[in-house]
């Protein structure tokens, strides 16, 4: 991951479908806590932000982007629906909501560097219906220009379908193991600077779009 310059936002989107139950979701929580420790230690208050979302059959925003100095990692959980069944992994629901999030939050801020980390353990259940959302995403400049990674749980790299691989433009070097994610974060040289007024302005901007 290259050196950063200017404003940067890191969005972590973790799979919380039924197959993530138990040790896998615990590993996600522990790994993201370690990632935040790495980001805070860089000492760039007001210039680096993190946001968190979960997805199964749809994407849910858990924490809108905030200054890394004051944000905590939400508690990711895998829970059954009212009928007792656990939700499946759906890229269709993910891409539709991610499109709205990127379009509303980042399309008008070309100076901001966006990093997207998709955390999952394997193949989604979609049967082609994810294409519409993916095509919308690919037309957003903020998404096209973002640095995108897949943090994979398990050894299913070769089994990932095209609609997941397209998330990283088929770049196999952008598919890493979950355990290596803190190392990727640590490898970013946070040279952003910036003052408190900048932080207050950007936090107000995010609150106006995403809420608290």
């Amino acid at each position: 991951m290259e050196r950063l310059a200017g404003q940067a936002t890191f969005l972590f989107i973790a799979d919380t479908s039924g197959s993530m139950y138990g040790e896998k979701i615990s590993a996600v929580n522990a790994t993201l806590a370690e990632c935040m420790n790495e980001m805070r230690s860089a000492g760039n208050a007001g210039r680096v932000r993190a946001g968190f979302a979960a997805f199964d059959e749809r994407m849910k925003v858990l924490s809108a982007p905030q200054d890394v100095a004051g944000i905590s990692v939400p508690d990711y959980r895998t829970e059954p629906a009212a009928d007792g069944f656990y939700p499946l992994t759906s890229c269709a629901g993910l891409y539709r909501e991610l499109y709205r999030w990127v379009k509303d939050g980042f399309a008008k801020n070309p100076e901001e560097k966006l990093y997207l980390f998709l955390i999952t353990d394997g193949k989604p259940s979609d049967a082609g219906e994810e294409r519409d959302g993916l095509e919308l995403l690919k037309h957003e400049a903020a998404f096209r220009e973002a640095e995108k990674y897949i943090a994979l749980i398990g050894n299913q790299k070769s089994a990932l379908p095209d609609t997941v691989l397209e998330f990283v433009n088929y770049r196999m070097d952008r598919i890493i193991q979950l355990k290596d994610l803190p190392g990727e974060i640590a490898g970013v040289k946070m040279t952003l600077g910036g003052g408190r007024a900048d932080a207050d302005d950007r936090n107000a901007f995010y609150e106006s779009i995403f809420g608290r």
Side-chain angles (χ1 to χ4, degrees):
M1 196 179 290
E2 80 268 15
R3 291 175 182 270
L4 296 174
Q7 183 81 39
T9 295
F10 292 71
L11 301 179
F12 299 91
I13 310 167
D15 188 347
T16 55
S17 62
S19 63
M20 293 288 292
Y21 182 82
E23 292 182 0
K24 290 180 181 180
I25 204 67
S26 295
V28 169
N29 286 318
T31 300
L32 289 180
E34 188 176 347
C35 287
M36 290 306 300
N37 288 337
E38 293 286 356
M39 294 174 73
R40 290 191 189 98
S41 68
N44 295 109
R47 305 303 293 173
V48 182
R49 287 173 173 76
F52 300 91
F55 79 101
D56 40 53
E57 294 172 359
R58 56 184 290 270
M59 176 179 155
K60 303 173 286 290
V61 176
L62 301 181
S63 181
Q66 297 177 38
D67 190 330
V68 295
I71 195 172
S72 297
V73 178
D75 183 18
Y76 283 91
R77 298 183 181 184
T78 297
E79 298 178 330
D83 59 8
F85 290 96
Y86 283 84
L88 302 174
T89 302
S90 169
C91 283
L94 166 64
Y95 291 151
R96 282 195 301 268
E97 182 63 16
L98 185 57
Y99 163 71
R100 187 199 66 79
W101 207 23
V102 170
K103 180 176 183 294
D104 292 350
F106 301 97
K108 297 179 181 179
N109 298 282
E111 78 284 358
E112 183 163 5
K113 187 68 174 179
L114 178 60
Y115 289 80
L116 297 171
F117 297 91
L118 181 62
I119 303 170
T120 184
D121 66 342
K123 192 172 182 178
S125 61
D126 306 290
E129 62 265 29
E130 70 277 5
R131 297 297 322 177
D132 289 347
L134 181 58
E135 290 304 315
L136 286 171
L137 259 179
K138 289 162 65 177
H139 280 86
E140 281 297 323
F143 178 79
R144 292 197 308 271
E145 296 167 8
E147 299 293 333
K148 299 177 284 287
Y149 290 80
I150 295 173
L152 188 61
I153 303 170
N155 298 305
Q156 301 299 316
K157 189 172 181 178
S158 62
L160 290 173
D162 284 351
T163 48
V164 176
L165 293 174
E166 281 187 78
F167 184 84
V168 291
N169 299 322
Y170 293 93
R171 290 186 56 177
M172 302 306 282
D173 63 310
R174 295 300 180 93
I175 304 174
I176 61 175
Q177 291 294 311
L178 176 66
K179 62 182 178 61
D180 296 327
L181 185 53
E184 288 289 336
I185 301 300
V188 178
K189 305 302 182 182
M190 302 292 189
T191 57
L192 300 177
R196 188 69 257 163
D198 270 347
D200 291 342
D201 289 345
R202 292 300 289 170
N203 283 337
F205 167 73
Y206 279 123
E207 288 169 19
S208 71
I209 296 172
F210 301 111
R212 277 195 173 275

